[in-house]
Amino acid sequence: MPTQLPTAAHTDTCGAALGRALRGGIVVTLEGELGAGKTALVRAALRARGIAGAIKSPTYAIVESYPLDRGLSVHHMDFYRLEHPLAWQEAGLAECFGDDTAVFIEWPSKGYGLPVADVVVNIGIERDGTRVLHVASNSDGGKRLVDEWLTS
């Protein structure tokens, strides 16, 4: 079922709930046009997990990493500017995936050979500017995360 995100505050609330549900071993892909709110959703998730200060978009760096509590790390990747689909592997980013990490990937269609996403997030923009969140899970871990995220 789609979730309406009519304001930035709604996106922040939704992202915070995602952050509270986040656990290791999870890959979340984020799709949607430029300005849809993909980075804003991730930023709110990280804030909910205690990350203070600047949380930069990884558009130019390709990946930004954040250590969280209990040994969990989050890697936020953005493949928008990748020159070719295997560039993420050549940059050594395959090492970012593991049981003690959660990975957010924006523009996953620009990377070839990525691990299968546990959760697929698509943020659309309606004519009135309202964002609409569509979420699908592809694994048991993804289903548990989505159930906890969207029912909190």
Side-chain angles (χ1 to χ4, degrees):
M1 181 166 95
T3 300
Q4 299 284 318
L5 302 172
T7 67
H10 287 90
T11 300
D12 288 347
T13 299
C14 185
L18 171 58
R20 289 188 297 273
L22 200 60
R23 60 183 54 87
I26 293 289
V27 176
V28 178
T29 58
L30 299 114
E31 301 173 10
E33 62 187 81
L34 286 172
K38 299 177 296 291
T39 297
L41 190 74
V42 174
R43 186 175 289 126
L46 292 168
R47 291 246 184 268
R49 292 300 291 263
I51 300 298
I55 298 175
K56 300 183 296 184
S57 169
T59 299
Y60 292 100
I62 301 177
V63 64
E64 296 287 341
S65 298
Y66 304 90
L68 300 183
D69 53 357
R70 293 178 246 148
L72 178 65
S73 293
V74 171
H75 303 291
H76 181 196
M77 301 177 184
D78 186 331
F79 293 165
Y80 182 74
R81 298 192 186 282
L82 288 185
E83 294 291 323
H84 57 89
L86 292 175
W88 73 275
Q89 290 178 343
E90 294 166 2
L93 299 181
E95 296 174 14
C96 292
F97 298 86
D99 291 339
D100 59 348
T101 61
V103 180
F104 290 104
I105 305 170
E106 296 185 37
W107 299 96
S109 62
K110 295 196 172 232
Y112 177 77
L114 290 167
V116 173
D118 296 288
V119 177
V120 176
V121 174
N122 187 299
I123 304 174
I125 304 174
E126 295 185 345
R127 286 185 186 178
D128 67 357
T130 297
R131 274 49 177 177
V132 180
L133 181 81
H134 296 270
V135 178
S137 58
N138 293 324
S139 68
D140 290 340
K143 182 175 181 347
R144 283 190 300 275
L145 178 112
V146 169
D147 288 347
E148 187 177 335
W149 171 22
L150 297 180
T151 59
S152 64

